[in-house]
């Protein structure tokens, strides 16, 4: 997503953007670098859902989202897919909930990793449905999808962009998605909220700058990104990836972040989730 958007922005503005990947600690290492950078308009952070999850799991974060980072633009919201091995008899979410209630010890359900957006989607589902479910963390969405396809694990929560190809090919069954309405690329897959009202869980992407960056610079980048998502080529590409976009302002993004922060802190607290 970052490369799609900033390549387009570079072409439109004739400015250079150097993308530097800083992996580690579920994104916290890269975010901390941006949080400590000079607020001169030359550092931009492209981050995602763990930015609001990590502080609920770790009281010793190396930066403070609200004090050190300025929200600029909510660039993407991607629902998760609850996928299943096609040979399993369960086809709908009510059937899966019933199966969980009939299974001593609960069903085994995988995710792309402990503390990931998919892990949180699983916990939100488990709490809303009132079922037992054993979390099986994988090292990424690829290994999870491979094991669901192979039947080593029968159910998993996967990123809606990454798993769509498997669902279309029939190598996994998409039981539902965690967004709202229906997806353009998978119109026959219902939303989880059709069975569990109000339950939504996204893997979002967003753009930040260090706190104290001049308002004019923040506004300029926000305006440019709002224009980028409306560009026909970009909009078409993002639709193919099940990536939802919408016009928004820094204040809109800040409001969205507050809601995400509150939701995932509640899920972690009520689920007594720990990172060992």
């Amino acid at each position: 997503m970052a490369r799609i958007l900033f390549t387009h922005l570079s072409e439109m503005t004739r400015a250079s953007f150097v993308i530097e990947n800083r992996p580690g600690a579920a994104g916290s290492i890269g975010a901390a670098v941006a949080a400590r950078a000079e607020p001169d308009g030359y550092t931009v952070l492209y981050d995602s859902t763990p930015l609001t999850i990590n502080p609920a799991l770790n009281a010793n974060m190396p930066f403070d989202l609200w004090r050190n980072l300025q929200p600029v633009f909510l660039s993407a919201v991607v629902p998760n897919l609850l996928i299943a091995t096609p040979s399993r008899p369960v086809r709908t979410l009510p059937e899966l909930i019933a199966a969980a209630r009939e299974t001593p010890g609960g069903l085994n359900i995988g995710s792309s990793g402990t503390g990931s957006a998919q892990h949180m989607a699983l916990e939100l589902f488990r709490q809303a449905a009132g079922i037992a479910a054993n979390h099986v963390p994988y090292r990424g969405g690829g290994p999870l999808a491979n094991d669901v396809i192979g039947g080593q694990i029968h159910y998993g929560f996967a990123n809606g962009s990454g798993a769509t190809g498997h669902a279309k090919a029939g190598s996994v069954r998409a039981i539902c998605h965690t967004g709202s309405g229906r997806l353009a690329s998978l119109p026959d897959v219902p939303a989880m909220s059709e069975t569990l009202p109000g339950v939504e869980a996204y893997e979002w992407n967003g753009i930040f700058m260090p706190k104290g960056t001049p308002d004019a610079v923040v506004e300029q980048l926000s305006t440019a990104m709002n224009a980028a998502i409306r560009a026909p080529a970009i909009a078409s590409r993002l639709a193919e990836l099940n990536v939802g976009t919408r016009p928004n302002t820094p204040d809109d993004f800040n409001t969205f972040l507050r809601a995400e922060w509150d939701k995932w802190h509640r899920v972690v607290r009520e689920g007594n989730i720990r990172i060992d």
Side-chain angles (χ1 to χ4, degrees):
M1 276 294 299
R3 295 185 187 282
I4 291 172
L5 290 173
F6 281 98
T7 297
H8 176 80
L9 192 59
S10 181
E11 293 170 353
M12 294 299 99
T13 63
R14 297 182 181 178
S16 296
F17 293 89
V18 178
I19 296 178
E20 181 180 356
N21 294 315
R22 288 288 188 103
S28 294
I29 292 176
V33 171
R36 291 191 295 263
E38 288 294 322
D40 54 12
Y42 287 97
T43 298
V44 178
L45 172 67
Y46 195 92
D47 215 322
S48 59
T49 316
L51 200 59
T52 50
I53 297 173
N54 291 340
L57 298 170
N58 181 4
N60 299 310
M61 293 291 291
F63 66 95
D64 184 288
L65 168 60
W66 309 111
R67 288 189 300 154
N68 300 133
L69 291 171
Q70 166 65 53
V72 177
F73 183 69
L74 175 63
S75 56
V77 286
V78 181
N80 300 287
L81 292 181
L82 175 51
I83 58 175
T85 304
S87 61
R88 301 302 293 174
V90 169
R91 306 191 70 86
T92 68
L93 188 60
E95 290 175 354
L96 181 63
I97 293 172
R101 289 173 177 163
E102 295 168 1
T103 303
L107 296 177
N108 294 328
I109 304 179
S111 84
S112 58
T114 301
S116 66
Q118 290 70 44
H119 178 198
M120 292 298 108
L122 163 58
E123 283 296 327
L124 183 63
F125 162 58
R126 184 189 66 76
Q127 293 175 23
I131 60 171
N134 304 311
H135 175 225
V136 181
Y138 279 77
R139 291 182 179 272
L144 166 66
N146 289 339
D147 272 13
V148 173
I149 292 170
Q152 286 80 19
I153 188 169
H154 296 137
Y155 306 101
F157 277 86
N159 175 277
S161 293
T164 294
H166 294 305
K168 283 185 171 183
S171 52
V172 301
R173 175 183 299 136
I175 294 177
C176 66
H177 69 86
T178 62
S180 63
R182 294 295 174 109
L183 304 177
S185 61
L186 296 170
D188 296 329
V189 177
M192 182 174 286
S193 59
E194 294 178 29
T195 299
L196 300 170
V199 176
E200 296 182 15
Y202 298 96
E203 183 150 4
W204 55 262
N205 288 189
I207 295 169
F208 302 80
M209 301 185 88
K211 202 76 164 182
T213 299
D215 290 344
V217 176
V218 172
E219 185 61 33
Q220 184 179 15
L221 182 55
S222 173
T223 299
M225 282 298 168
N226 274 286
I229 63 170
R230 292 194 297 270
I234 300 298
S236 176
R237 177 62 178 145
L238 298 186
E240 292 173 3
L241 297 172
N242 273 338
V243 173
T245 61
R246 57 179 182 246
N248 64 94
T249 66
D251 285 344
D252 293 334
F253 187 20
N254 190 72
T255 299
F256 174 86
L257 287 169
R258 287 286 180 184
E260 287 286 290
W261 178 281
D262 292 345
K263 175 167 62 178
W264 298 130
H265 277 65
R266 174 180 56 79
V267 167
V268 168
R269 182 176 63 252
E270 294 181 1
N272 195 27
I273 302 169
R274 292 184 171 87
I275 302 296
D276 298 322

